[in-house]
Amino acid sequence: MTTDGPRDRNDDGRAQQARPRDELGRPLPYGSTGVEPVPDVALPPMETLQFAEDLIRAGRPFAAHEVLEARWKACPQEERELWQGLAQLCVGLTHAARGNEVGAARLVERGTDRLVRYDSTAGPRYGLDIRTIVNCAQNAVSSTETDGRHSTR
């Protein structure tokens, strides 16, 4: 890993962020102590869901997004709407926690649209109640908008 120039690069020259990050995925200065990064490999579906849920409960929706994104990139084509929709909800929650109400609403809307489409298919649910998840994310974002809770940007 090289840190020359404006972006970190791996040995193949591809961008790879080596800076530590805070719990909401914001980069910290080099040498700072950040949160533990999550693996960037796709986990099996149930393990992905459990890990993402644990991260959300720990106040790390950005990390949950990364776990879901890895699954989305590796999943069968017919499951893409599910995993991408879940990842987008987590990005929406991240934006809400960072105080970005517009970004939060947009990402939750995009994730909701994908999940509603997926819910009309015969694809596997992995024990998820999609409508409840959508309602929970929408409520979390709307409560941030109405009660003024914001994290420092």
Side-chain angles (χ1 to χ4, degrees), residues 128-145:
L128 297 174
D129 180 340
I130 292 174
R131 297 211 183 269
T132 298
I133 291 168
V134 164
N135 289 338
C136 182
Q138 289 172 330
N139 289 339
V141 168
S142 67
S143 70
T144 300
E145 291 172 352

Side-chain angles (χ1 to χ4, degrees), residues 2 7 13 22 37-39 41 65 67-68 79 87-88 101 129 137:
T2 62
R7 297 184 74 183
D22 72 7
V38 295
V41 297
H65 146 262
V67 169
L68 292 162
E79 293 181 22
Q88 286 177 318
E101 296 171 9
D129 180 340

Side-chain angles (χ1 to χ4, degrees), residues 69-129:
E69 183 177 58
R71 180 78 220 140
W72 152 46
K73 290 180 177 181
C75 75
Q77 180 65 33
E78 61 271 10
E79 293 181 22
R80 285 185 168 256
E81 293 283 282
L82 172 66
W83 299 107
Q84 190 172 16
L86 291 171
Q88 286 177 318
L89 291 185
C90 288
V91 174
L93 294 174
T94 300
H95 281 297
R98 291 177 177 176
N100 178 357
E101 296 171 9
V102 172
R106 286 183 181 156
L107 267 295
V108 167
E109 182 179 348
R110 287 182 199 156
T112 294
D113 289 347
R114 288 184 186 285
L115 291 172
V116 167
R117 281 193 302 271
Y118 187 79
D119 204 29
S120 68
T121 72
R125 300 298 188 274
Y126 301 107
L128 297 174
D129 180 340

